[in-house]
Amino acid sequence: MQQPELGKKIAELRKLKGLTQEELVEKCKLNVRTLQRIEAGEVRPRAYTLNVLSEVLDYNFNGVSAKLPGALLLFVRNVADIINLKKHTMKKVSILSSTLLIVFLGVFMFNFRSVSKSEQVLHVVVKEQNTNSIKWFNSGQVKQLMNDYASDACFYRNGHPAYCGKEEISKAIQKAVDAEAFKLTTIDLISLHVSGDVAIEKSLTTSQLPNGQFIRTINIQHWQRSNKKWMIVNDIDVLLY
């Protein structure tokens, strides 16, 4: 959902719950001016702010359910903060690893000895998606890259604001393609954890800069199954070096 519709929806939900702007900002730990600008459609809230509003207003704004299990909601919030951290790489990795541990222990407790048909299907989808991503990005086929993304997916790129919606994600990727900033070389799957219709993929992506230097990023993809099809609803990149 984009502005100004997003702001109107937030104002509508706030009023339905009988909350004043002052009462809502107190619950969300915001300031009134920020909420006023959001509701007026002047600015789009950061991912963290939007998730807090989702929780308080009990509404799905981002394609991530407002009724998320506590650990997964914590994951979304912390990843948003990690993207904006201007700290050392190891601190980023440490925080990210701790958050993932909470997610895995709190949300994805299932019997590893029994691999469900759904998980088998997703493993195939993820493998194909990683292989195709390299081919499609390097050849500038941005439209094909969007095939596995939900319409309201969000992309969190290290050091950049969140891009939400397939159109915005497509524009961001197209800019990188047009700038020839780097080429993807490998995407190695680290882990894939599935619980019902929700899954978290963790991969290591290696890219090559025009000067020949290699850089690596940890990529976290939040998959969700809808109508028997797995789609990416959140895509997070965190630069390692």
Side-chain angles (χ1 to χ4, degrees):
M1 188 181 299
Q2 302 297 317
Q3 290 287 30
E5 289 79 12
L6 177 60
K8 293 177 181 177
K9 189 65 178 179
I10 290 171
E12 175 188 339
L13 292 167
R14 173 177 59 77
K15 292 173 184 176
L16 285 174
K17 285 188 171 290
L19 297 173
T20 64
Q21 288 184 328
E22 289 76 10
E23 289 170 334
L24 180 57
V25 298
E26 184 178 351
K27 289 177 178 290
C28 297
K29 308 301 181 184
L30 304 174
N31 63 63
V32 175
R33 180 55 184 156
T34 297
L35 180 61
Q36 289 173 340
R37 296 183 68 197
I38 291 172
E39 290 191 351
E42 297 175 6
V43 297
R44 180 178 177 82
R46 294 183 303 168
Y48 171 81
T49 302
L50 193 57
N51 278 292
V52 173
L53 287 167
S54 294
E55 185 178 18
V56 173
L57 297 175
D58 191 19
Y59 186 82
N60 179 354
F61 291 110
N62 261 350
V64 181
S65 171
K67 292 296 186 179
L68 283 173
L72 187 54
L73 182 58
L74 181 63
F75 164 76
V76 175
R77 290 177 178 174
N78 278 276
V79 167
D81 288 335
I82 290 169
I83 300 302
N84 294 316
L85 276 178
K86 295 183 178 179
K87 303 293 183 180
H88 294 96
T89 298
M90 290 309 297
K91 184 169 183 179
K92 293 180 182 179
V93 176
S94 176
I95 296 172
L96 182 60
S97 299
S98 298
T99 306
L100 287 172
L101 182 59
I102 295 172
V103 173
F104 299 158
L105 293 178
V107 181
F108 300 107
M109 298 297 293
F110 64 96
N111 190 345
F112 288 93
R113 293 172 296 180
S114 175
V115 181
S116 68
K117 182 179 179 181
S118 173
E119 185 174 354
Q120 291 174 338
V121 170
L122 183 57
H123 269 279
V124 174
V125 171
V126 167
K127 183 177 180 180
E128 291 180 352
Q129 197 259 348
N130 287 342
T131 300
N132 289 333
S133 291
I134 296 173
K135 177 178 66 177
W136 289 335
F137 181 87
N138 291 342
S139 61
Q141 296 175 276
V142 177
K143 184 177 180 180
Q144 284 83 347
L145 274 171
M146 296 293 100
N147 289 340
D148 292 315
Y149 287 81
S151 60
D152 54 355
C154 284
F155 177 39
Y156 307 90
R157 187 180 173 199
N158 192 79
H160 295 265
Y163 303 96
C164 290
K166 291 180 74 168
E167 183 178 352
E168 292 301 312
I169 297 173
S170 180
K171 288 179 182 178
I173 295 176
Q174 188 65 58
K175 285 182 180 179
V177 170
D178 293 343
E180 298 182 351
F182 59 89
K183 292 288 186 182
L184 297 179
T185 57
T186 59
I187 301 177
D188 299 312
L189 180 65
I190 298 173
S191 60
L192 180 63
H193 296 268
V194 184
S195 179
D197 291 332
V198 177
I200 298 293
E201 173 200 351
K202 181 179 179 182
S203 298
L204 175 65
T205 300
T206 303
S207 306
Q208 187 172 24
L209 302 177
N211 63 6
Q213 179 183 356
F214 288 94
I215 58 173
R216 293 183 177 183
T217 57
I218 289 292
N219 179 243
I220 309 294
Q221 289 186 327
H222 167 200
W223 293 79
Q224 194 163 343
R225 185 174 56 178
S226 178
N227 297 323
K228 298 182 178 180
K229 184 175 182 180
W230 285 100
M231 304 294 289
I232 299 169
V233 293
N234 284 291
D235 191 350
I236 303 103
D237 282 343
V238 180
L239 182 65
L240 292 180
Y241 55 86

